Every structure is written in C-alpha cells, then in structure tokens.
C-alpha cells in the first residue's frame, strides 16, 4: 500500500533532511565499489538519474538506501509527467530503462534498488508511516515503464537462481519476485504469466515453491483461468509441487468444473502423499466442495484418509502424556519431536471447513450414516462425529440419531471406540465437553447397548484425558446417579466401579463427589446400594491412604446410624452397606497379610471385620426379615472368597451350632401341641427308624410364629428360648453351606444329612376338604408349601455340584418333589385368592413398601406389617405388576412375554388357569446358575441299602420332562432378564421400580459374561435334549399330524414337550442375540457355542473360521423346522437363525433360507386355531410376516402373491382361511394388510430416483419396478371394498399417504426424463395410479361421512399430498411440452363402493369442485396426431382424483 503524507516542497528542507539521513548512516558497506565512495550520491548526466532526481528521489551508491524526499504517490506522478512531457517521448522510456540497467549492473546497487527507500522526513511528514517502497516497486507502479521494467527483472533473475543466500539471509530471487506482488495494475498480464510459468519450469525446487505461492499476489483475476490450466498440468507432472500448487489453486478464482478436475487429481495423491503435505491437500478438497457434490466428495475422502496418517504422531504424543502424568517432564518442555503436530493441523483444517461450510458437516454425517458395512467404518468416522457435534449445534440431534443407529447395528463397538481414543485423543481432548455431552444424552437411552457405549465414552475420557476432564466425568456420572432412573443409576454406578478398579488414585482425588451419593440411598435398589458401598469402601480401605480417612469415618457413621434405626427399610440398607464394606475390608486385610507377612495391621483389620459383622448380627436379631437379609448378604460375601481364615473360623463355629439348635430336631422328637393339623415326617429320602435320623422342624416353627402374631401367650419354657422364624430357614442354610464349602474345599459331607432328611409337615393334599377349610387354615397350608419349596430349592442349590451318583440321585428326587409340590400349590392357591405368601427374597421391593403401613383385613391380620403391606402391593394376582407387565409386553415383544401365555396355552382342562406361579416368582428362592449342571445328568442309579448297609435294591433315576421343563423355564427367565436389552422389555409405567429384577438378586452378583460362560458349558446337554424332543415330534407327526389330542396322543406329555421345545429355543435365542458378543473378550464364548453346534453336524476342525462355524450352526438349527410343534416355537427358531445371520459375513444364502423358512411357517396349518384372536398370536404373526418380507429376494413379488393369491382364496373360502396361506384368516387379515402396506412403502422409499445421465437400461428397470409397486398398491387399496373394518381403513390412510409421498419424491423425477422415451409405460403407470388415488379420495369421503375421528385425523395430510401430486404431474406435462393437454373438470364424491354421496354439503360444494377437479377425458382421435396429448391426459387422470379430495374441504 502507498501511504499518504503531507510533505514540504522546500529545497532547503529536502537538503537538510538528506544531510541528516546521511549522518545517521554510519554502517560500512560489505562491498565497496572502486568507482564510488561509500556514502556518495550517484551523479551523472543520464536521463535516468536526472528524471529521478527531478521527481524527488536521490540515488545512492553501494548498498546505501536510496532516499525519497517526497511522497511516493507524488514521486510516481512527477516521474510519469516528466516522461510524458519529455521532448523525445516515447524514446525517452528506452533511455530511462537503459540507464536503470546500467545502474543495477552492480549486485549491491541492484539489491539496494530492491530494498525499501529511506524517507526524508520533516515535521509534517513524520505524522505518517515511515515505510517506503523500493525503487523498482515505485517504477513498476508507472504504466509506461512497467513492461520494460518487468522484462529487465526477468532478465536479471537467472543470474541469482543458483547463488547462495547472503549472510543477511536475503534471497535475491525472492526479493525480485516480491516486487511484482500487489501491483495496483498489471499492464500485460498474459506476458507476465508466461514469464513466471517459464521461470517456474527452470527454477530450482526451493524457488519453485516461492514462485508458486506468490502467483495469487502477482496475477490479476483475468489470468487465473490460464494459470490454473498450466498448474493442473504441472500438478500431474511434479509430485513435489503438489502442496504449493493446491495452495495457489485454492486462492484463485476458478470455475467449478475445473476445480472438480483438480480435486480429482488431488484425491488420487492422498494415498502417496507425505504426512506434512496432507493438511494442505485436505484444505483444498474441502474448500472446493459445493452443496451439490458435497456428499460424493466427502464419501470419497473418507475412503482415502487412511489410519496410517495418524498412528505414529499420536502414539508419540501418547508416550509424552504418560510421562507427564507419571510425574515426568511436560510435553511442552520435552522436545522429543521436532516436527510440527500434523495431526492437529489436519483436524484444524477439517474443523474450519466444518464450522464455516454448512454443506460439509451434513454431507459428512450422511456419508457415515449411509455406510452399512461394519468393516467400512474407521476411527475417523467416530472422531468426525464428535468434531461436528462440537462445532455445529444444529446437527446435534442428527448426530445422536446416527450414533444410536450405528451402535444398535454393531458398526460402532468397543474396539472401534477404544482405537478412536488411542489414535485421535489429541484432538478429542480439546472437545472433551462435547464428548461428555454426547455421553450424557446417550446415557438416557433405554437400549442397553447404547448405554454401554455411553459408559465407554466416560471410561475412556477419564482414562486418557487430563485431571480437569476427569473431574467433569465424575460430575456427569454423579448427575446420572441422582437422576432417579433405575437403569441410568445402575449403569452410572457400573462405570464408577470400573473407574475405581481402573485408576484408584485418580478416583480418590474425586472421592468427595462420590461420597455425596450417600444422601440418595433412599431412592436406590439393593443392588445399587451394594455397588455404591463397594465403590466407597474401595476408595476408603484399599491401599491405606491418609486422604481416605474422612470416607471411612462417614461410612462407619452412616452404617451405624442405619443399623440402629427402628425403621426396617433403613436397617436393611445398613445391613447391605455393612456387609459390603466388611467384604472390602477383608479383601484388603488379605492383601496386607500377603504383602506384610501377616503383620499386625492385617490382624487388626480382621478384628474390625469380625466386630462389624457381630454388630450387624446383634442389630438384626429382632427382625426375621433383617436376619434373613443378613444371612443372604453374608453368604454372598463368603461366596466371593474374600473372607479371611480367622473370620471363616469364627463363622463356622457359630453358624453350624445355631442352625442345628434353631431348625433341626431328632426324627423321634415329634412336637406335641395344639396344632391345627397332625404333624408327619414327609419327603424323607431314606428310611428312618424311630431312634435314628434328623428332621426339619418346619410346621411347629411356622405355627409358633403365627401363634405369637395372633397374640397367643407363650409358656414359661418357651419364653426362655429364642424364637426363630421359619423365614430364616433357607437363608441360614445358604450361609451354612457356603461356610462348609470354603472350609472343606467344596466337600459337603458334614451337612449331607440335610439333603435327604424329612420335614415335619402335614398332609398337603386334603382332597375335597380343601375348599371347605377356613381361610386361615388354607393360608397356613399355603405358607407351609412355600417354605417347603424354598427349602428344597436351597437344598438343590447346595448339592447340585456333588459328583457321587448317590448325591445326584437325591438331587433329582428333590427336583421331582419340587415339581409335585408346585402342582399341589396351584390347587391351594386357586381356592385362596387373597393369600400373600411369606417372603423369600429379602432385598427386593420391600425396601419401598415397608414404610407405608396399611390396615390388614381379617384374612391377613396375622401376616404382620411387612406382609400386610406386601399384600396391598400384590392384592389380586390378575392385576399384579408382574402380570401387567406381561400383558403390556405381549403387544410389543411377543417372544419376551410369551412365557406366561404359554403356561396357559399348555395347561390341561383340569388345571386352574386363573393361577400361574409366574406371578409368585418373587416368593420363591432363587436357583443358582450352577443348578443347571443337572442338565448333564443322564441315567442315575440310586442304591438302596438295608439296615446292615448291604445293597437291597437299585433304582434308576433320570431327568424327566416335568423336571426338565422346570429347569429350562428358570434358565430361560434368567437369560431373558440378564441378556435381553432393557429397551425390549417394555416396562409398565405403573410397575414398581426394580420389580423386573425380583428374584434375580443372586444372578446379578455375576456379570453377564460369567453367566454366558456357564450357559455355553450347557450347550451339549441342551442339544441332546433338543434332538430328543425333535425326535419325539418327528415320530408323533405321522400319527397325529402334529395336532394336540389326536388319536392315540398323550395330551399332557405333548404339552410338556412343547413347552420344553420352546424353552430350549428361547435359551438359544437369548444366547446368540446377546449384544455382548461384539466385545473382544467375549468372542471365545461365541466360538465355543458355535463349535458345539457345528460338532453335531460334522467333525470339528481346529482351524475353522467364524464364518464356517456360523454356516454349519445355521444348517444344524434349520433342520429342526420339520418338528416345530407351535407357531411361537417357529418364530423363536427364526429369531435364532436371524441372530446368526446378523453375525455372518456372507449372509446372502442364509437370507434366502430364512425367507423360505418364514414362508413355510406362514403356509403351515398350525394347531390351536382358537388362539388366533389373541393379541399374543397377532403380535407373533406380525413379527413372522415382517421377517419374511424383510428377507425375501423380491418384496413386491411376495406382496403380490399374498394379496393376489392368498386374499382371493380367503374371500371365497368356506373355512374363512386361505389354502395357500392358512395363517391368513379373517381375524388375521388386518395384520397381513398392515404389514404389506408398511413394507411396500418402505421398499419404494428406498429406491433412488436416479438421474437423466444414467443409461436407458437403468431407467427401464426402475420404471418396471415402479409398475410392479403401483400394481401391488392397487391390489391392496382395492381390498378395502371387501374388508372395510376400521384397522384396515386406518392402515390404508396412513400408508397410502406415505406411498404417494414416495411416488412424488422417487418416481416423478424418473417420469420426467422417461416420459418421451417410454411414453406407453408412463401412460399405463399413471392410469393405474390414478385409479388408486381416486379410491383414496373415496376413503376420505367415507371417513367424513361416518364422522370417524380416528380416520379423519389422517385426511388433511393425505389431501395435501394428493394436491402436491396434482401440481407435480402438471409440472411434468409442462416439462414435456404438453401443457395444452391439462384442463379442469367436475368430479363427484363417492363412497367405498363407488356410490355417489348425496348430501347438502356436497351439493353446495359442486361449484368449488368444478374449479379444483381435473377430468381425464381425452379424445382418442387426437392420439394419432399428438402422442403427448394422450400422455398428458393420463396425467390429468392422476390430478382428477387428487384435486377432488380438496373439494371435500
């Protein structure tokens, strides 16, 4: 820029200023010309010198600065006028340039002329800037001199191309080029461009970069296109100049077509470019994007950006971060890397483009969204979603939706996320708040996979980022815990637990935030309370630390306060917290003993543990519920194996003797008293004489407890004894057996007498007397049965792992006893409707119901406060929360809720369907996972000994169908509860918090991976049972054709075997559909399970790939479809195959098999036709039909077959069912119709419209596809004339509008450029579609006439869509020069049968209809003259029906 300043024109002032400047110049020159003094003014008679001096510039010799006495603009103006007014003009220009060439022959002088002049300042000029241009730059600003000066410069430039830079660091070529920058005007741009490009071709590489980057500052806009063409050629020839060329091209004004060409060249260089050049190339590519090509370019860029560009710098920086966090030198002060951080530069370029170009972030997210294959996703995709999320607020919802979709589909898994944080953490750390916001929003999801992904975000952010981010992570997790949402609280506590295990020292710094969660214990479930106390106890007691002393004090204070509370709820919380803390203390003391050689600190810690447990025991003695919970919690603690030997010794001495005193009596010591029933020793597995053996004193204990509750007076002898509640029998035994297991390495011989000993009970099957009994006695018997069942369950839990045949036989006998007792219990419960059982699980929702007292009725007054309140919660089993959830679930997830329905479905006539033990699950003791090892049992020989211990007889035992069903049912429930994502369980709004986990407290002590490992171990016996059941039904089908109750069939056996079949299939489904298999650490479980299935088909190979295992397993399971006994079993088998299909890398063949199998199930006549009206069956049928249409090769052909073949058969069939599709009946038609309409709309919506540039063959294929779609739509729409029920009409209105919208967006563009080439096809398509839209118009009229608000709410949107279609058809006609064929006409309103609707409103609106309606009458005589008119008439038919809809408004 030229600065403007006011200068004095006085000669004296100029002279004085010149002298002053000379006085300041004292530095000697490095090169002194022989002919000039060092400080001498150039004096000669040349035109060059005279004109410069006259104009106000004084030339100096050597390397001294030339002096400018006037303003730069004034100088240029004076010199230009002097040249123009010179007598010899224009010859004087040549003389002037010749004088300049002579002057700059000396290198120092030339250099001086290229440097800025010295300004001779006066008082007025000192107000402005002191910067002055060089002499050459001033001369280039004069138009008449510019061409000659440029020529001279380019002639001088080659002299310095290979000259080394002087000591002052000034490069002469760069200095010369700088003179050409930012000229006010370029006289001959083409010549200058040619000279520069010629110079670039011969210049050395270091100078080529300078010349290229200077081009935008030298050339004017008219030369940009020419330079761009030459640079594009140079880009192909020279790889070294890629970066400067692209840098220049991004600054030039170039056309979009040319930029697209260059962008393609640049994209091809991404694979071979250096890392330091990558930022410039990416910047050029992103800056050359337009809204029309953004998606295409971004998609290609994603594929080109390889991970190798980021790994090395990131790992190098990661090592520095680790050193810094370990106390080493900071990365800023440790110059381990001298090169710039190119990864940061790359992402800075991307961030800039994403922030300021709206089309780029949208295209980038869309490119990620449309990528389907899991292998096509990279760490860059995840990082880019986070970056765009942080820079573009308007895309946040969109990105969250994409993330959820990718997580559900398995494209974004733990492995990819961990790699993203490891590779790109330098960039992610800068956007940590945005990442935490993403995690927070994802954490609210009900989908377990999404919640787990959010937890991983917190985990990796805490592990990798700095201290500030760690504090933010802890704060966010505390917020989740305080949210009150059960799933969210549990997931947040799980993350806290992982972080505590991962980095204890870092978590201890944030312990004060976690400690505040103690204020929210009231709103937590027992399992959550355990987790919280586990976290706090770990922070307080692990690795003795002074900073954790305040946590210890707070924990002890809270626990003692709760244990001493008179409110049972808080006492139970105190028990859970105290036992959990004791476990952490015991584990810490064990580690201290190992590290310190059992020194005093470890013994002191052991003493503290014992004291704490004694405190808990003393505080819980007065409450049976508290005591039972203490025993259960203590048993879990011992099971974990953290208890010190001294503590175990103390427990063993007290527990065993106390249990015997409380519950075990001699067989001959039959209690005598005023019992309501005669006491008998029942269910003994050994023959006892009157002088030997033991028994469980159950009935007397229960009667004593009920007697005290009723207000009875104890005798003096009884009052001196401690009253023991039978509620504690099972929990106490559980604690006892774990103590024995730990002390004797799993050997239970010390207590094996409890397995076969009898119980003091009474006859539990009174027969006909049952209904005539008083309600109190019936309730007493029910309680007795519940307690007996729970005792047997705990006995089976204890002895299921014993290996001796005798013990196995006794365990099988106890299983049979359980099954028999359950049948008896159902009979008792059927006649005792208001009965509430005794508690069996003491840490469940009793925490919520205990504080609220309720008035007990006469029937339940002796149930006590706890069970009285529980009765209120469970009153009326038909409306219990458990059953409500099942009913709600049946519509949303048939497989998940099918169990309760199946129990009713396979119940005989003699069974009471009003009672289902599923509703009493909370009152049964939980079976351990180890119990299912019984499935391994085959035939077990039980030896019966005589009195002399000689073999008297042998009895062969085996796992019968009822016992198998009992085990499979429980295992299926466990896997459904643990492995099924929470979002699929559809909890009822009124369901109490945590009720889904009732009866699974022990299950949740183990992780899902541990349970899956146990189930995988059971794969072989489950396959054996599955094959046996398959053979059973294979043999049964030829006899009875698979019908229940057929000739010679055993109905009860058939029902049990069908239930076992379903349970086995459900177990396999829960297993293979588990989302945890996507984690690396669980891959071995999946391989093991698949290897078992593969081994049933062929000899297993050691090196079999996952794909081969999946294929063989798929074939093995598919073979079972011949013996499927029920519709629900068939659906479950398909779901198993789909779970394997989703994990396959070559799914094409499997997809066809699934579709074929689904069609076979649809075409099979299933038994229990009376069930087709049930909501459960309809939901299952909908799922099966969806599976068929989603996996079939041609959805349109499948729909046409069902609607064109199956439905007409249904209409004309006397059996009210289709012969081709027996599942298609009049009751299920609405399911078929709704699914077909939805899948048809979804199919056409996914068909791209294409473009006119595509080959004609593509247009023909798409036009044929749309003809098929419209034909299917026409068949379906016309069915409403026969089936005019509300659900059918509702589906027609809803999906009909969506289909028309898809036709507008996807088909009309195709018709635009296919109209002339395929006139007849377009004509036929529009004619068919016009009839369909006319019927939709009739349906709108039908809805309004009948005033059905459920239908009329869809009418406005449908009419709007039809109106848009009218306008769109008209636009197509105009585009194809057929506008004259479009006109308006009249259309009458009609009902579904085509009858005219005559009403006062319709008659009054005739005039309006005549204006908005379009007629389709086209004279056939004009067809030969103008084919376009004929096509236009078809378009008018389309408008005809849709404009007439508007007339109804």
């Amino acid at each position: 820029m030229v600065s403007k300043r006011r200068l004095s024109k006085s000669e004296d002032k100029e002279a004085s200023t010149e002298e002053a400047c000379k006085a300041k110049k004292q530095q000697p020159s490095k090169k002194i010309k022989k002919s000039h003094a060092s400080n001498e003014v150039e004096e000669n008679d040349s035109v060059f010198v005279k004109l410069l001096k006259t104009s106000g510039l004084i030339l100096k010799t050597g390397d001294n600065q030339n002096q400018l006495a006037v303003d730069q603009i004034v100088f240029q103006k004076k010199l230009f006028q002097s040249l123009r007014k010179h007598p010899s003009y224009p010859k004087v220009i040549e003389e002037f340039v010749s004088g300049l060439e002579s002057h700059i022959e000396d290198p120092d002088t030339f250099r001086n002329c290229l440097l800025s002049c010295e300004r001779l300042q006066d008082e007025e000029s000192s107000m402005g800037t002191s910067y002055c241009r060089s002499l050459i730059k001033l001369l280039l600003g004069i138009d008449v001199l510019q061409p000659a000066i440029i020529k001279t410069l380019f002639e001088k430039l080659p002299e310095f191309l290979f000259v080394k830079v002087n000591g002052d660091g000034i490069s002469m070529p760069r200095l010369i080029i700088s003179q050409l920058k930012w000229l006010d005007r370029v006289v001959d741009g083409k010549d200058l461009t040619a000279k520069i490009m010629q110079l670039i071709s011969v210049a050395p590489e270091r100078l080529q970069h300078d010349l290229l980057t200077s081009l935008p500052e030298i050339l004017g806009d008219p030369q940009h296109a020419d330079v761009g063409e030459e640079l594009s050629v140079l880009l192909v020839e020279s790889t070294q100049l890629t970066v400067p060329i692209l840098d220049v091209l991004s600054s030039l004004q170039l056309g979009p077509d040319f930029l697209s060409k260059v962008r393609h060249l640049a994209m091809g260089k991404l694979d071979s470019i250096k890392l330091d050049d990558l930022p410039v190339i990416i910047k050029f590519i992103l800056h050359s994007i337009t809204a029309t090509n953004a998606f295409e370019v971004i998609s290609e860029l994603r594929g080109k950006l390889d991970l190798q560009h980021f790994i090395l710098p990131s790992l190098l920086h990661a090592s520095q971060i680790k050193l810094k966090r370990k106390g080493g030198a900071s990365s800023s002060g440790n110059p381990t890397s001298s090169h710039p951080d190119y990864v940061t530069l790359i992402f800075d370029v991307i961030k800039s483009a994403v922030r300021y170009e709206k089309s780029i972030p949208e295209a980038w997210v869309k490119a990620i969204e449309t990528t389907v294959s899991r292998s096509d996703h990279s760490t860059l995709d995840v990082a880019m979603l986070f970056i765009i999320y942080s820079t573009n607020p308007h895309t946040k919802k969109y990105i969250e939706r994409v993330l959820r979709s990718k997580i559900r589909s398995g494209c974004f898994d733990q492995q990819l996320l961990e790699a993203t944080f490891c590779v790109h953490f330098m960039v992610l750390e800068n956007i940590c708040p945005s990442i935490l916001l993403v995690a927070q929003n994802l954490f609210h999801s009900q989908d377990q996979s999404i919640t787990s992904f959010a937890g991983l975000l917190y985990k990796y952010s805490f592990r990798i980022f700095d201290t500030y981010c760690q504090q933010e992570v802890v704060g966010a997790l505390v917020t989740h815990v305080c949210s009150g949402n059960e799933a969210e609280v549990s997931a947040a506590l799980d993350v806290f637990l992982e972080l505590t295990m991962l980095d204890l020292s870092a978590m201890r710094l944030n312990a004060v935030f976690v400690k505040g969660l103690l204020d929210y214990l009231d709103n937590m479930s027992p399992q959550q309370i355990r987790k919280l106390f586990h976290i706090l106890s770990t922070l307080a007691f692990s690795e003795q630390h002074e900073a954790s002393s305040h946590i210890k004090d707070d924990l002890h204070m809270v626990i003692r306060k709760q244990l001493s509370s008179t409110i049972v709820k808080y006492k139970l919380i105190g028990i859970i917290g105290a036992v959990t803390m004791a476990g952490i203390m015991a584990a810490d003391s064990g580690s201290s003993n190992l590290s310190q050689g059992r020194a005093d600190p470890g013994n002191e810690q052991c003493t503290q543990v014992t004291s704490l447990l004694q405190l808990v025991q003393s505080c819980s003695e007065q409450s049976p519920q508290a005591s039972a919970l203490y025993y259960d919690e203590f048993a879990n603690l011992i099971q974990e194996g953290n208890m010190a030997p001294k503590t175990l010794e103390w427990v063993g001495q007290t527990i065993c003797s106390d249990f015997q005193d409380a519950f075990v009596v001699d067989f001959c010591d039959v209690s005598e008293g005023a019992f309501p029933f005669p006491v008998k020793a029942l269910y003994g597995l050994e023959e006892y004489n009157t002088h030997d053996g033991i028994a469980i004193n159950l009935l007397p204990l229960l009667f004593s407890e009920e007697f005290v509750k009723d207000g009875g007076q104890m005798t003096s002898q009884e009052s001196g004894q401690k009253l023991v509640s039978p509620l504690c029998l099972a929990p106490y035994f559980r604690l006892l057996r774990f103590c024995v297991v730990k002390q004797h390495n799993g050997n239970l011989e010390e207590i094996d007498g409890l397995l076969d000993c009898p119980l003091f009970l009474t006859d539990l099957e009174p027969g006909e007397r049952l209904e005539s009994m008083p309600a109190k006695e019936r309730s007493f018997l029910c309680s007795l049965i519940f307690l007996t069942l729970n005792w047997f369950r705990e006995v089976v839990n204890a002895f299921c792992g014993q290996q001796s045949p005798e013990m196995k036989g006794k365990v099988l006998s106890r299983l049979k006893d359980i099954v028999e007792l359950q049948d008896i219990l159902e009979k008792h419960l059927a006649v005792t409707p208001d009965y509430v059982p005794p508690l069996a699980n003491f840490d469940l929702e009793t925490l919520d119901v205990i504080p609220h007292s309720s008035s007990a009725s006469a029937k339940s007054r002796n149930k006590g406060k706890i069970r009285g309140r529980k009765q209120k919660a469970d009153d009326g089993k038909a409306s219990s929360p458990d059953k409500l959830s099942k009913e709600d679930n049946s519509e949303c997830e048939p497989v998940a809720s099918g169990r309760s329905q199946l129990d009713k479905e396979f119940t005989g006539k003699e069974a009471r369907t009003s009672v289902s033990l599923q509703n009493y699950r909370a009152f049964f003791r939980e079976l351990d996972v180890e119990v299912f090892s019984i499935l391994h049992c085959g035939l077990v020989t039980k030896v019966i000994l005589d009195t002399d211990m000689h073999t008297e007889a042998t009895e062969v035992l085996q796992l019968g169908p009822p016992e198998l069903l009992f085990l499979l049912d429980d295992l299926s429930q466990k896997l459904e509860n643990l492995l099924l994502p929470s979002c699929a369980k559809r909890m009822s709004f009124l369901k109490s918090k945590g009720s889904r986990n009732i009866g699974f407290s022990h299950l949740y002590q183990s992780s899902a991976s541990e349970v899956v490992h146990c189930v995988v171990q059971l794969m072989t016996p489950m396959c054996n049972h599955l094959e046996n059941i398959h053979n059973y039904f294979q043999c049964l089908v030829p006899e009875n054709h698979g019908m229940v109750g057929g000739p010679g069939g055993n109905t009860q056996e058939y029902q049990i075997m069908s239930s076992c079949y379903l349970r086995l299939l459900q177990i396999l489904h829960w297993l293979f559909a588990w989302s945890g298999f996507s984690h690396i650490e669980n891959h071995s479980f999946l391989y093991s399970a698949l290897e078992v299935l593969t081994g049933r088909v062929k000899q297993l190979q050691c090196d079999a790939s996952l794909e081969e295992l999946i294929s063989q397993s798929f074939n093995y399971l598919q073979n079972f479809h011949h013996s499927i006994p029920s519709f629900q079993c068939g659906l479950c088998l398909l779901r198993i195959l789909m779970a394997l299909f989703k994990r396959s890398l070559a799914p094409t063949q499997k997809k066809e098999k699934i579709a074929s199998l689904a069609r076979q199930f649809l075409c099979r006549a299933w038994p229990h036709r009376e069930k087709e009206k049930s909501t459960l069956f309809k939901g299952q049928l909908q799922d099966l039909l969806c599976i068929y249409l989603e996996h079939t090769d041609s959805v349109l052909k499948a729909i046409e077959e069902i609607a064109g073949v199956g439905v007409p058969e249904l209409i004309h069939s006397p059996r009210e069912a289709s012969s081709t599709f027996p599942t298609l009946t009049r009751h299920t038609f609405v399911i078929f119709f709704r699914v077909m309409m939805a899948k048809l709309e979804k199919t056409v919506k996914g068909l791209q419209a294409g473009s006119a540039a595509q080959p004609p063959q593509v247009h023909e294929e798409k036009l044929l596809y749309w003809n098929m779609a419209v034909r299917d739509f026409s068949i379906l729409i016309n069915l409403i004339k026969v089936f005019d029920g509300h659900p059918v009409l509702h589906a027609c209105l809803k999906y009909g509008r969506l289909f028309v919208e898809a036709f507008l967006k996807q088909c009309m563009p195709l018709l635009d450029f296919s109209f002339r080439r395929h006139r007849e096809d377009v004509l036929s398509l529009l004619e068919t579609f016009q009839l369909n839209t006319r019927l939709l118009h009739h349906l709108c009229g039908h809805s309004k006439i009948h005033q059905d608000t459920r239908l009329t709410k869809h009418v406005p949107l449908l009419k709007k869509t039809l109106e848009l279609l009218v306008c769109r058809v008209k636009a197509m006609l105009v585009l194809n020069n057929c506008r004259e064929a479009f006109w308006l006409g009249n259309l009458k309103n009609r009902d579904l049968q085509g009858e005219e609707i005559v009403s006062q409103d319709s008659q009054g609106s005739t005039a309006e209809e005549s204006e908005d309606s379009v007629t389709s009458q086209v004279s056939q005589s004009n067809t030969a003259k103008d084919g376009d008119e004929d096509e236009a008439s078809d378009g008018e038919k389309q408008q005809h029906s849709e404009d007439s809809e508007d007339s109804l408004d």
Side-chain angles (χ1 to χ4, degrees), residues 1198-1239:
I1199 293 176
E1200 185 173 3
E1201 181 186 16
I1202 297 174
V1205 177
V1207 176
E1209 291 177 352
L1210 170 64
I1211 296 174
H1212 301 97
S1213 172
R1215 298 187 302 112
E1216 295 188 349
S1218 168
S1219 58
T1220 305
F1221 297 93
T1223 51
L1224 175 58
T1225 66
R1226 290 192 176 272
H1227 294 111
T1228 61
F1229 170 78
V1230 62
I1231 303 297
F1232 277 82
F1233 184 81
R1234 182 169 59 240
V1235 172
M1236 287 190 293
M1237 288 289 289
K1239 294 301 177 183

Side-chain angles (χ1 to χ4, degrees), residues 1034-1049:
Q1034 282 288 88
C1035 298
L1036 191 64
V1037 167
E1039 301 176 5
N1040 300 332
H1041 304 288
M1043 297 298 294
V1044 176

Side-chain angles (χ1 to χ4, degrees), residues 157 169 171-179 181 206-207 210:
L157 186 58
S171 172
M172 287 296 293
R174 293 179 182 175
L175 198 57
I176 295 173
I177 293 299
S178 66
Q179 308 303 309
K181 296 180 180 179
R206 58 181 177 80
L207 188 57
D210 297 330

Side-chain angles (χ1 to χ4, degrees), residues 686-687 942-955:
E686 298 287 350
E687 294 295 335
K942 179 182 177 183
V943 179
I944 303 176
L945 303 177
D946 57 15
T947 56
D948 296 329
M949 302 302 292
H950 296 117
T951 301
E952 179 179 338
T954 59
E955 181 181 357

Side-chain angles (χ1 to χ4, degrees), residues 627-638:
S627 297
L629 177 61
Y630 166 65
Y631 297 144
D632 274 339
E633 292 295 315
F634 199 1
N636 294 335
L637 178 61
I638 296 177

Side-chain angles (χ1 to χ4, degrees), residues 1019 1068-1074 1077 1086 1089-1090 1093 1139-1140 1143:
M1019 285 295 295
L1068 293 177
H1069 173 227
W1070 305 137
L1071 177 64
F1072 289 110
W1074 182 45
F1077 281 136
L1086 178 61
L1090 294 175
L1093 297 182
L1140 295 176
R1143 303 186 186 280

Side-chain angles (χ1 to χ4, degrees), residues 627-902:
S627 297
L629 177 61
Y630 166 65
Y631 297 144
D632 274 339
E633 292 295 315
F634 199 1
N636 294 335
L637 178 61
I638 296 177
Q639 184 184 15
E640 293 174 0
N642 294 332
M643 195 60 62
K646 287 187 178 182
T647 309
L648 275 178
E649 184 180 353
W650 167 76
V651 174
Q653 293 174 353
T654 57
I655 293 297
C656 186
S657 59
D658 290 349
F659 181 82
Q660 292 182 11
D661 296 340
F663 303 106
V664 180
V665 296
D666 292 333
F667 182 79
C668 58
D669 187 15
V670 180
S671 301
E672 295 181 1
F675 301 122
F677 305 99
V679 179
K680 296 181 180 181
L682 302 177
Y683 296 103
L685 301 182
E686 298 287 350
E687 294 295 335
Y688 290 102
N689 56 37
T690 57
H691 304 288
D692 191 13
I694 59 174
I696 303 298
N697 193 29
L698 186 56
L699 188 147
L701 286 177
L702 178 61
F703 179 77
S704 299
E705 184 183 39
E706 298 295 333
F707 182 77
V708 172
K709 289 181 180 178
D710 284 343
Q713 299 295 325
M714 292 186 297
T715 64
S716 59
Q717 182 180 0
E718 291 174 339
S719 61
Q721 297 178 352
K722 177 183 174 182
L723 183 62
V724 180
S725 171
L727 284 179
C728 300
L729 172 61
Y732 212 151
F733 173 71
R734 181 178 176 84
L735 175 59
L736 173 63
R737 66 112 165 176
F738 278 124
C739 288
V740 175
V741 166
K742 289 298 179 181
Q743 289 179 328
H744 299 84
N745 297 323
N747 191 345
L748 295 177
E749 290 183 1
E750 187 174 334
I751 58 171
D752 60 354
L754 296 175
L755 173 60
D756 52 20
C757 72
L759 294 87
F760 282 153
L761 303 171
T762 187
D763 289 332
L764 300 177
E765 289 194 57
E768 297 179 357
R769 287 196 318 112
L770 182 61
E771 296 184 4
S772 62
M773 280 185 181
K776 183 178 179 180
E777 293 184 3
R778 291 200 305 268
S779 298
F780 182 86
L781 287 177
C782 288
S783 297
L784 198 61
I785 297 174
F786 268 103
L787 292 172
T788 305
L789 276 170
N790 288 327
W791 166 252
F792 286 159
R793 281 172 169 258
E794 278 301 334
V795 167
V796 171
N797 281 339
F799 295 96
C800 64
Q802 301 301 305
Q803 299 301 319
S804 67
E806 183 181 2
M807 301 292 279
K808 289 183 178 180
K810 292 180 179 179
V811 170
L812 289 178
S813 299
R814 285 305 183 207
L815 272 181
K816 292 183 178 180
D817 293 340
I818 291 175
V819 174
E820 292 175 3
L821 277 173
Q822 287 189 161
D823 293 338
I824 296 173
L825 179 60
E826 287 183 349
K827 297 176 183 179
H828 281 263
L829 292 176
V831 296
T832 316
D834 297 331
Y835 169 71
V836 178
L839 292 175
N841 301 283
F842 305 93
D843 65 338
L844 38 110
E845 300 341 290
T846 52
L847 297 182
D848 293 329
V849 300
I850 286 174
H852 305 284
S853 61
S854 62
S855 57
S857 62
K859 293 183 180 181
S860 60
R861 66 179 185 272
N862 43 351
K863 296 298 176 184
K865 292 183 179 179
I866 297 174
R867 280 173 284 164
R869 181 63 185 93
K870 191 68 181 179
Q871 178 182 0
K872 183 178 179 180
D874 293 334
D875 191 23
K877 293 301 176 288
S879 60
S880 65
D882 243 10
K883 190 168 183 179
L884 282 176
S885 68
K886 296 288 182 184
E887 293 172 355
D888 295 342
N889 214 3
S890 63
E891 295 184 6
C892 304
E893 186 63 37
V895 175
S897 63
R899 184 173 295 106
S900 62
Q901 177 67 22
L902 196 90

Side-chain angles (χ1 to χ4, degrees), residues 971-990:
L971 179 58
S972 178
Q973 290 183 40
K974 282 180 166 59
L975 295 184
E976 177 186 0
N977 189 273
L978 186 66
L979 303 185
L980 184 67
S982 58
C983 64
K985 296 174 185 174
R986 309 285 186 181
M987 300 304 295
S988 171
F989 175 75
L990 298 175

